[in-house]
Amino acid sequence: MRPDTPADHIAEAERLLRTADQYPQDQEPLLLQAAAHLELAGERGQASSLYDRLLASENPEHPLLVKAFQAANLWEYGHEAEARALINGIQAAAPTEAAPWAIIAETLENHDELEASHECFSTALTLLLSEGDEEVPYATRSLLSGRHRVRRMLGLPHDEWDKTADRVHADHTPDVTLDELHDPKRLWALGSDNPAELRAEIARLHSELGSYRSALSRPFPVAVLHWPEAELTELLEAYPVLENEYPTHAAHLTDIEASLRDLAATGTENLGIVTATVPSYEAFAASEQSSPANADLLPQYATTLAARGRAAAWPPARGAACWCGSGSAYRDCHGA
Ligand SMILES: [Zn+2]
Ligand SMILES: [Zn+2]
């Protein structure tokens, strides 16, 4: 379902822009995601215009996040001075959200400004990481991991935050340690004499690092669709063919939890659940000039809801209410 070619990215960006016209109240997350697709298609100028459009709009919800994306994008296509000015502005504004910090720190890192990147990550963690946080939130984990990576490249010894980064990483991705992943020697030792081995190792490193970085620079969750029971009943009465997708409501709920756990186990970060309703699904099908009975629309509908900022983060805290709406704690319900 993830687009790959430049043409796919442009088509997806156009779809998101159409959705933004339909739902002006959700314009910001939709335009940000459209801009991400334009960047991936190499259309950096168009992406830049979308960021400017958001910054010029009445009340941008996350102006510093938009500026951070704009800085990363501008530097990538040769506008270094403008990018630096934006980065300085964001640092001076000291946002209390992780994402703008992570994006500017990574941008500095990508352009080999390791000291400046390190400083940025450290300032952000000083602001955002509280002592004794039981569960480090997803966005803050990216900061811990990024700082750990930059410190290894700078040859600095482990400090307390590095130890926290190692521990948090091990809780979420047990198959490879953060130290192994961020070991600069692994990169330097790539002068192997076996080209096939070398290529395989580089590909492995890329995919590992890529999953961190893409998760970080695209703070949009991979979302799974959840139909509350009454909505599912109504859906299946209107479009019985969808019973192939959803044999029973209980099975649907079990599937949601199982899919999310699978995604998490294979290293997908930033997961979420979006709640479906029949009227909004019908409106979506109409906007795609298709029938709601077409099951191929379901994943696109989920992506669009997530792009509109409608996803609830998964997993919930163990003691919080389960995502299914049963009223029980997650640990006693689908988290059991
Ligand atoms: Zn470490
Ligand atoms: Zn539940």
Side-chain angles (χ1 to χ4, degrees), residues 86-315:
L86 282 167
I87 289 174
N88 292 340
I90 293 163
Q91 284 176 302
T96 51
E97 288 172 349
W101 284 112
I103 292 160
I104 60 174
E106 240 189 35
T107 301
L108 291 162
E109 178 192 350
N110 289 341
H111 296 277
D112 297 319
E113 308 258 343
L114 296 181
E115 297 282 356
S117 171
H118 180 241
E119 167 129 19
C120 213
F121 277 125
S122 301
T123 309
L125 284 171
T126 307
L127 285 170
L128 298 176
L129 194 63
S130 336
E131 291 287 321
D133 274 354
E134 190 195 317
E135 175 79 354
V136 180
Y138 167 76
T140 314
R141 272 194 269 149
S142 299
L143 292 171
L144 274 172
S145 163
R147 182 174 175 277
H148 181 281
R149 180 178 60 238
V150 168
R151 286 174 64 83
R152 301 293 80 72
M153 288 191 276
L154 286 167
L156 297 171
H158 272 68
D159 65 2
E160 282 307 311
W161 279 341
D162 283 330
K163 288 178 203 158
T164 308
D166 286 332
R167 179 178 55 74
V168 168
H169 175 86
D171 287 348
H172 292 271
T173 318
D175 46 334
V176 52
T177 70
L178 203 57
D179 289 330
E180 195 189 340
L181 203 53
H182 293 169
D183 180 3
K185 290 205 197 72
R186 240 178 106 182
L187 293 155
W188 301 332
L190 284 176
S192 158
D193 36 21
N194 179 338
E197 225 169 63
L198 189 58
R199 267 198 301 277
E201 179 64 4
I202 290 172
R204 200 170 91 83
L205 275 168
H206 267 265
S207 70
E208 283 164 0
L209 293 173
S211 69
Y212 280 99
R213 299 194 169 187
S214 58
L216 184 64
S217 53
R218 308 281 160 237
F220 306 104
V222 173
V224 172
L225 203 56
H226 166 218
W227 293 91
E229 190 160 17
E231 294 291 333
L232 189 64
T233 306
E234 191 184 330
L235 179 79
L236 297 180
E237 271 164 17
Y239 313 103
V241 66
L242 294 178
E243 273 168 33
N244 296 327
E245 303 292 319
Y246 306 116
T248 68
H249 187 250
H252 168 53
L253 297 183
T254 310
D255 277 352
I256 292 171
E257 181 73 21
S259 320
L260 288 163
R261 287 188 194 191
D262 275 356
L263 285 164
T266 53
T268 308
E269 293 266 7
N270 200 10
L271 295 163
I273 295 179
V274 284
T275 301
T277 70
V278 174
S280 97
Y281 177 56
E282 286 174 334
F284 174 78
S287 73
E288 294 295 303
Q289 279 138 23
S290 183
S291 157
N294 175 5
D296 291 345
L297 288 179
L298 293 164
Q300 285 181 21
Y301 173 52
T303 308
T304 303
L305 289 176
R308 291 175 56 198
R310 298 306 163 90
W314 179 93

Side-chain angles (χ1 to χ4, degrees), residues 322 324 326 333-334:
C322 188
C324 73
S326 64
C333 193
H334 286 89

